Amino acid sequence: MVSMPPSLQKQVSVMSMNLSAKLDELQRGDRHLETTVALCEIRTQLQELTKSVESCQSEVSEVKRDMVAIKHELDTVQQVKEEIEELREYVDRLEEHTHRRKLRLLEQGLTFFLTYAILAAVLGMLQFGYNTGVINAPQNNIEYFIKSTYRSRYGEELPDEAVRGLYSIAVSIFAIGGMLGGFGGGMVANKFGRKGGLLLNNVLGVTGACLMWCTKASNYYEILLLGRFIIGVNCGLNTSLVPMYISEIAPLNLRGGLGTVNQLAVTVGLLISQVLGIEQILGTNDGWPLLLGLAVCPALLQLILLPICPESPRYLLITKQWEEEARKALRRLRASNHVEEDIEEMRAEERAQQTESSISMMELICSPTLRAPLIIGVVMQLSQQLSGINAVFYYSTNLFSNSGLTEESAKFATIGIGSIMVCMTLVTIPLMDRTGRRTLHLYGLGGMFIFSIFITISFLIKEMIDWMSYLSVVSTLSFVVFFAVGPGSIPWMITAELFSQGPRPAAMSIAVLVNWMANFLVGIGFPSMNDLLDNYTFLPFSFFLAIFWIFTYKKVPETKNKTFEEILALFKHGNGRMSFRDSQLYGSMLNCVNALESHIPVNEQAGLVIAEEKIERDSCESGSETSSRTGTGDGICRPPPPLPPPRFPNSAV
């Protein structure tokens, strides 16, 4: 039974007391009030009492309606609770299904056709390595050609400083072309595809190599500069397209090792250029044009081999929406008709990055979610170039000569650099998916820091101790060993891994642009820095290596055995160093709810909407109360950005 409100009880009590007093007065007749007047007052009191009772009845009716509404809300909450329990069961099943799918992806092996496609693609990185190292050995021959050409053209000698300046331009203009090619790599990848872009790029490779080959015959050193610039554009596009293509066709469990093949091709190209550049082969005044012109071989070989390879299945499915073509490409690459796991994983990636599809470079830079991986990608590229390794590649012969070795011994020591790079890169291929990218990068940067200090020490006391020149050689070779362990291959690989299909081309363009810009600065600035700092030349590189080690330790996440969705989840949580288990769980849940998007019944969808609104309303109320209580915030409830609703299957997974 509903009790009467206290205010009404008080009013009734007062009126009852007044009525009793009036009746007593009538009975006593002490004040001689007229009976009629008294009765009128009593009637008025009774009318007011009647109105109060009616008001009480109205309030009771309202309370009853509120009770009915509360009961209805409780029934709704109970229903939502039951639906949430059902949802949890479904999510558990879906997570188990996704885990099984990922295990099947991890069981995929290396097939003949996948090996063929990777070898055909990495010819572009071999081109990059060859043209990076080929300019080193024939330095004296090229400077002699520049002098003789200037003398025959103008009838006077060109000062030695100007000759060294022109040679430095020939070295660094390659990096300017690389900047231009790297910057346009994302646009080329989106417009022509990964494979199509690589095929078109070989036209530039053939053109640049032929121009360098004809330099001496034309008697124009400007032709050499033009050829180096064009081959630089070719190599810049390669450094953007090749890692992208390999990361997209490689199985999940082999992505790290196959990504290291990029660096292996670079080191093989470096070694070939160093071997061919010795005086006994092509390092002569007559042979150096052919040495530079041999860059035509990787381009022609790729033009022959690559057309047989399929386009990237991710590009076909996600960018072009050609599912059947993507299935055909996967069947060839996996040597199996069972490619549903790969297709499902790509679909999950597509849905996870729908808000980022066709993203421009400016949008990428301004995106809060993508800013952290972009900064990591850029710093990783800088850690490769500002480590001092290009100073070793471009000027190693001079470095060894200055440390006390004969010119011939210095050239053979340079060949030793290339050989060690190849061997150590082969060693890191199995370690990449076993030890992890971040761990190897830390080992590499730490070792380079230590041996850069040793290089400086050997330069300082080389004149005091005869055998110190050998310490310089050993320290430089060890420096290269640790470069091959970490910074050599990991920046190219991890930049492609940190982004999903939509922003990946733009991210690769920015990262490659930064890489080539740093490459250019080192190439053009190292001779002047060497003259200025003399024996302390490597100290700035030591400083940079220490900074990059700290950044990698603090900010860079481990991407080993993670799908692209799990890596994306790391940064959507706002913390790149989130634990592997948490990111794996989030990525799996994201895959689950996206994979079954089209199967939810209408009644279950409505129940999820009610639950979502209820949770959102509760969180808003609690947030507003907290803001009011603490005095922080504006007290305005802003709903979180909408997520795609989970979808129930019509049958059990």
Side-chain angles (χ1 to χ4, degrees):
M1 180 177 179
V2 180
S3 62
M4 187 180 296
S7 60
L8 186 58
Q9 289 180 347
K10 185 176 180 182
Q11 185 179 359
V12 171
S13 299
V14 172
M15 293 179 68
S16 177
M17 291 172 62
N18 291 339
L19 183 59
S20 298
K22 291 294 182 183
L23 290 174
D24 291 341
E25 289 177 3
L26 285 175
Q27 289 175 357
R28 291 195 302 269
D30 294 337
R31 297 185 182 181
H32 308 287
L33 294 177
E34 295 183 3
T35 304
T36 304
V37 175
L39 289 175
C40 287
E41 291 180 3
I42 293 171
R43 188 179 296 111
T44 303
Q45 296 275 342
L46 288 173
Q47 287 174 352
E48 292 178 2
L49 181 60
T50 302
K51 290 178 181 178
S52 298
V53 172
E54 290 175 352
S55 174
C56 177
Q57 290 176 344
S58 176
E59 291 182 10
V60 169
S61 299
E62 290 180 3
V63 170
K64 287 182 177 180
R65 284 195 297 270
D66 290 342
M67 293 289 289
V68 171
I70 290 171
K71 185 176 182 303
H72 180 70
E73 288 288 337
L74 290 173
D75 292 340
T76 304
V77 169
Q78 183 62 31
Q79 182 181 358
V80 170
K81 183 179 178 182
E82 293 174 357
E83 290 172 353
I84 289 174
E85 291 298 326
E86 293 178 5
L87 176 62
R88 284 177 180 169
E89 293 178 5
Y90 274 118
V91 167
D92 290 341
R93 293 180 187 176
L94 293 172
E95 186 184 0
E96 183 182 353
H97 167 71
T98 303
H99 181 65
R100 288 199 302 267
R101 176 171 61 83
K102 184 175 178 180
L103 288 178
R104 288 194 292 270
L105 288 173
L106 289 171
E107 291 171 358
Q108 292 176 341
L110 192 64
T111 64
F112 171 79
F113 199 72
L114 177 62
T115 306
Y116 175 88
I118 289 170
L119 291 178
V122 296
L123 286 171
M125 298 303 283
L126 186 142
Q127 176 83 291
F128 169 51
Y130 184 84
N131 285 284
T132 298
V134 75
I135 200 73
N136 187 2
Q139 177 178 352
N140 294 333
N141 308 110
I142 293 173
E143 289 180 352
Y144 177 78
F145 166 72
I146 293 173
K147 275 186 177 181
S148 60
T149 301
Y150 189 88
R151 188 188 315 115
S152 64
R153 189 184 299 176
Y154 300 106
E156 60 182 30
E157 292 292 333
L158 186 66
D160 289 341
E161 289 184 2
V163 173
R164 284 197 298 271
L166 284 173
Y167 175 77
S168 294
I169 292 173
V171 171
S172 56
I173 201 171
F174 172 72
I176 295 176
M179 278 188 261
L180 183 62
F183 189 73
M187 181 187 67
V188 171
N190 282 332
K191 187 172 181 62
F192 302 105
R194 285 56 165 156
K195 170 190 167 185
L198 285 171
L199 288 172
L200 289 174
N201 188 31
N202 286 312
V203 176
L204 293 175
V206 172
T207 303
C210 290
L211 285 173
M212 291 189 294
W213 198 342
C214 299
T215 297
K216 190 172 183 180
S218 66
N219 208 34
Y220 281 96
Y221 53 78
E222 292 86 356
I223 297 292
L224 171 63
L225 301 181
L226 179 61
R228 285 283 291 175
F229 174 77
I230 293 175
I231 204 73
V233 176
N234 166 263
C235 291
L237 285 166
N238 280 330
T239 54
S240 180
L241 295 171
V242 175
M244 202 184 306
Y245 180 73
I246 290 179
S247 70
E248 291 180 4
I249 68 172
L252 178 62
N253 59 319
L254 299 177
R255 202 169 62 212
L258 295 180
T260 310
V261 176
N262 286 319
Q263 183 63 18
L264 177 63
V266 173
T267 57
V268 169
L270 278 167
L271 180 60
I272 292 173
S273 69
Q274 290 162 353
V275 171
L276 295 179
I278 62 176
E279 290 184 7
Q280 290 83 348
I281 304 180
L282 292 175
T284 61
N285 285 327
D286 294 327
W288 70 264
L290 176 60
L291 177 66
L292 298 180
L294 284 176
V296 74
C297 295
L300 290 176
L301 190 59
Q302 191 174 65
L303 279 173
I304 295 170
L305 299 178
L306 195 61
I308 306 174
C309 303
E311 181 56 88
S312 162
R314 289 182 185 273
Y315 171 77
L316 293 173
L317 182 66
I318 299 176
T319 304
K320 305 299 288 184
Q321 295 295 314
W322 295 345
E323 183 172 341
E324 191 53 40
E325 294 297 322
R327 289 179 181 276
K328 290 179 181 177
L330 280 170
R331 291 188 191 107
R332 296 176 68 191
L333 291 168
R334 304 291 184 258
S336 171
N337 290 326
H338 304 291
V339 294
E340 289 305 318
E341 286 80 11
D342 292 275
I343 293 291
E344 193 174 332
E345 192 244 339
M346 291 179 199
R347 286 294 188 196
E349 179 188 351
E350 178 186 16
R351 282 184 285 267
Q353 55 88 45
Q354 277 177 348
T355 57
E356 303 157 356
S357 58
S358 303
I359 194 169
S360 67
M361 277 182 276
M362 187 55 64
E363 291 170 337
L364 175 63
I365 294 171
C366 297
S367 170
T369 304
L370 299 174
R371 191 174 297 132
L374 180 62
I375 291 173
I376 290 172
V378 167
V379 174
M380 294 289 279
Q381 297 294 335
L382 290 175
S383 73
Q384 183 185 79
Q385 294 299 326
L386 298 185
S387 63
I389 194 65
N390 271 347
V392 175
F393 288 160
Y394 289 147
Y395 303 102
S396 58
T397 303
N398 273 354
L399 284 173
F400 289 136
S401 298
N402 292 338
S403 66
L405 295 180
T406 64
E407 186 173 346
E408 185 176 359
S409 299
K411 287 188 176 181
F412 281 107
T414 300
I415 293 175
I417 288 177
S419 303
I420 288 177
M421 282 282 290
V422 172
C423 295
M424 288 307 301
T425 306
L426 285 170
V427 170
T428 59
I429 289 178
L431 292 177
M432 196 63 65
D433 285 309
R434 188 176 304 167
T435 306
R437 286 71 149 149
R438 178 175 173 271
T439 304
L440 285 178
H441 198 63
L442 287 171
Y443 283 145
L445 291 173
M448 291 177 77
F449 172 78
I450 293 170
F451 284 103
S452 66
I453 300 295
F454 283 162
I455 291 173
T456 302
I457 294 172
S458 66
F459 284 171
L460 287 172
I461 59 177
K462 66 185 177 184
E463 297 175 358
M464 300 169 55
I465 304 175
D466 293 337
W467 54 266
M468 193 52 62
S469 59
Y470 296 103
L471 175 62
S472 174
V473 173
V474 171
S475 298
T476 304
L477 294 179
S478 301
F479 184 84
V480 171
V481 165
F482 281 98
F483 174 79
V485 168
S489 57
I490 291 173
W492 299 114
M493 181 196 319
I494 204 169
T495 304
E497 288 182 329
L498 289 176
F499 296 91
S500 55
Q501 187 74 14
R504 187 178 296 131
M508 288 297 295
S509 294
I510 293 173
V512 170
L513 172 66
V514 170
N515 185 288
W516 281 97
M517 192 177 297
N519 187 327
F520 168 75
L521 292 175
V522 172
I524 198 71
F526 183 75
S528 301
M529 189 173 73
N530 195 17
D531 293 338
L532 179 65
L533 299 178
D534 195 19
N535 293 328
Y536 298 95
T537 300
F538 269 80
L539 276 186
F541 297 128
S542 302
F543 173 74
F544 282 123
L545 286 165
I547 292 176
F548 294 138
W549 191 94
I550 294 170
F551 179 87
T552 302
Y553 183 78
K554 294 285 188 181
K555 298 294 183 182
V556 178
E558 181 56 72
T559 59
K560 179 184 72 171
N561 286 342
K562 286 189 176 75
T563 65
F564 287 113
E565 298 76 51
E566 290 168 355
I567 296 170
L568 181 66
L570 289 174
F571 299 102
K572 284 198 171 183
H573 275 66
N575 181 4
R577 292 292 312 282
M578 187 175 68
S579 70
F580 174 76
R581 184 181 179 279
D582 292 341
S583 66
Q584 190 179 36
L585 176 61
Y586 181 83
S588 300
M589 299 279 284
L590 190 63
N591 294 347
C592 292
V593 298
N594 285 329
L596 299 168
E597 187 174 3
S598 60
H599 303 289
I600 183 169
V602 177
N603 61 335
E604 292 178 348
Q605 184 176 8
L608 288 173
V609 170
I610 292 171
E612 183 180 354
E613 290 176 350
K614 179 73 172 70
I615 293 168
E616 181 181 324
R617 185 166 60 249
D618 292 344
S619 63
C620 287
E621 290 173 357
S622 62
S624 300
E625 290 173 2
T626 303
S627 299
S628 302
R629 185 170 58 253
T630 59
T632 58
D634 53 9
I636 299 174
C637 178
R638 295 179 176 86
L643 292 173
R647 307 304 192 188
F648 288 127
N650 291 327
S651 59
V653 176

